[in-house]
Amino acid sequence: MVSGKTARLHRKHATEYKITVASKLENLAKISSFVGRVGVQLKLPSDFVFDSQVAVNEACTNIIQHAYGFKTDRPITVGCRLRNLEFIIRIRDFGNPFDPDVVSKHKVEGKLERRATSGLGMFLMRKMMNRVKFRFDEKRGTELTLMKRLPEPEAVLEGPIADATQPAVG
Amino acid sequence: MPHNLRLVEGHKSLAVCELVGRIDALNSSALKKELAAFVDQNKPRLIIQAQELEFIAACGLNVLLDFAQKARSRKGGMKFVAPNSNVQRILDLVMFSHLFDVLDSEQAAIAAFTGPA
C-alpha cells in the first residue's frame, strides 16, 4: 500500500523511468505528467507522447475503477523506456485481474443514436499504441505492456540539393 | 473547475461549454451532471469551446456522446469549436468529427445553430 506522498519519479537505469502512485483519480494527471516528462527527456515527438498519455490514462483509469474498485491506497507503478525505436510502457497493479476479452468491442461507425459508450477506453488504448498486452501473475500482479513504435528516421541527404528550376552550369 | 457552461445571450436553449485543461475520470461526472441539467431544457443546443482543452479521456468523450444522444432526441445538437491538433486527432479517431461539426469560431457555431441573422 502506498500513500499519495510516496509517489516518486526515479531512473532505474540509463533509459528506464518509473513512478509509483496511490490508486486515486487525482493521480491520473500526475501519471500523465510523468509520461510527458519522460517524453521530453527522451526527445519524443509531442503528438507521439500525447497518444501514449491517452493510452496510459485509460489503462490507469481501468485499474482504479475496476481492478481496485476505487480503493485509493493501492499501488500503481508505471515504467517507461525507449528500446531501439520502441517506446515501452509497463503498468503494474495488484487488483482484480482484468480480462480484456470481456470488454465489448467499441464500434465508432454508425449513427449517433446507435453509438454505445462501453469499451471506448480500450478502443483508444489499442488505437494509440502498436501493442497492448496483459499478463497476469498471482504474486506479481497484473502487468500491462503498451508499446508504440517511433517512425523510422528519414534518410539524411548529403550535400546541397540541386535546384531543378535553375539551369545547370557548365 | 475544468469546464464552464454559459448560455448564449438571446438564445435560452443555446449554451457554450468551455472545456479547459484536462477532462478525465476525476472531473467528468461533474460535467455530466451539469450537462444533464441543461439537456432537460427544451431543444438543448451546445457549443463545445475546445480551444483551451488539452486532454480528454474516454469518460469525457462518453459524457459528450451521452449529452448529444439525449439532445438529438429533443431536436438539439452539439458542435465543437477550435480543438487543438491532439484533441482533433482523438475526435477523428472516435469519429466524432463525422457526427458533429467542428468549426473555427464560436460565432460560426452560433450561426450554424441559429441560421443567418
Side-chain angles (χ1 to χ4, degrees), chain A residues 12-169:
Chain A
K12 193 178 175 190
H13 57 74
T15 55
E16 187 160 39
Y17 302 81
K18 232 180 216 186
I19 189 173
T20 299
V21 299
S23 52
K24 296 176 182 175
L25 292 176
E26 288 85 347
N27 283 335
L28 289 172
K30 190 178 281 185
I31 294 168
S32 272
S33 169
F34 162 75
V35 175
R37 291 202 309 277
V38 172
V40 168
Q41 185 77 24
L42 296 175
K43 298 183 170 60
L44 302 176
S46 62
D47 56 345
F48 182 97
V49 174
F50 180 83
D51 291 357
S52 304
Q53 288 172 310
V54 169
V56 169
N57 182 76
E58 296 306 330
C60 294
T61 302
N62 278 345
I63 291 170
I64 293 170
Q65 294 181 333
H66 303 298
Y68 287 140
F70 290 100
K71 291 188 179 88
T72 58
D73 59 349
R74 308 299 156 98
I76 301 174
T77 299
V78 179
C80 303
R81 67 195 161 110
L82 187 64
R83 189 183 61 190
N84 300 324
L85 290 176
E86 294 182 347
F87 187 44
I88 298 164
I89 304 164
R90 287 187 302 168
I91 305 173
R92 186 179 297 281
D93 71 83
F94 296 91
N96 296 321
F98 169 69
D99 183 357
D101 294 333
V102 302
V103 178
S104 56
K105 287 218 168 110
H106 186 83
K107 289 180 185 164
V108 294
E109 300 87 5
K111 291 182 175 177
L112 173 61
E113 306 83 89
R114 294 190 174 182
R115 281 285 296 265
T117 54
S118 60
L120 185 57
M122 186 59 76
F123 171 87
L124 280 177
M125 221 188 293
R126 291 195 192 282
K127 282 286 178 186
M128 293 299 191
M129 307 304 283
N130 293 106
R131 193 192 306 145
V132 175
K133 189 178 173 189
F134 287 89
R135 196 165 61 181
F136 307 101
D137 184 280
E138 276 189 23
K139 287 181 184 168
R140 301 186 65 203
T142 301
E143 184 182 82
L144 168 61
T145 304
L146 303 170
M147 187 277 284
K148 190 168 180 69
R149 199 172 293 114
L150 277 164
E152 292 284 340
E154 289 176 22
V156 177
L157 295 170
E158 288 183 3
I161 302 169
D163 187 349
T165 62
Q166 298 298 315
V169 179

Side-chain angles (χ1 to χ4, degrees), chain B residues 82-107:
Chain B
N84 70 30
S85 59
N86 284 329
V87 173
Q88 178 70 60
R89 207 163 62 256
I90 291 187
L91 297 182
D92 292 341
L93 205 59
V94 300
M95 291 202 179
F96 272 25
S97 37
H98 289 232
L99 298 172
F100 312 112
D101 292 334
V102 180
L103 298 153
D104 290 339
S105 70
E106 196 173 305
Q107 274 63 37

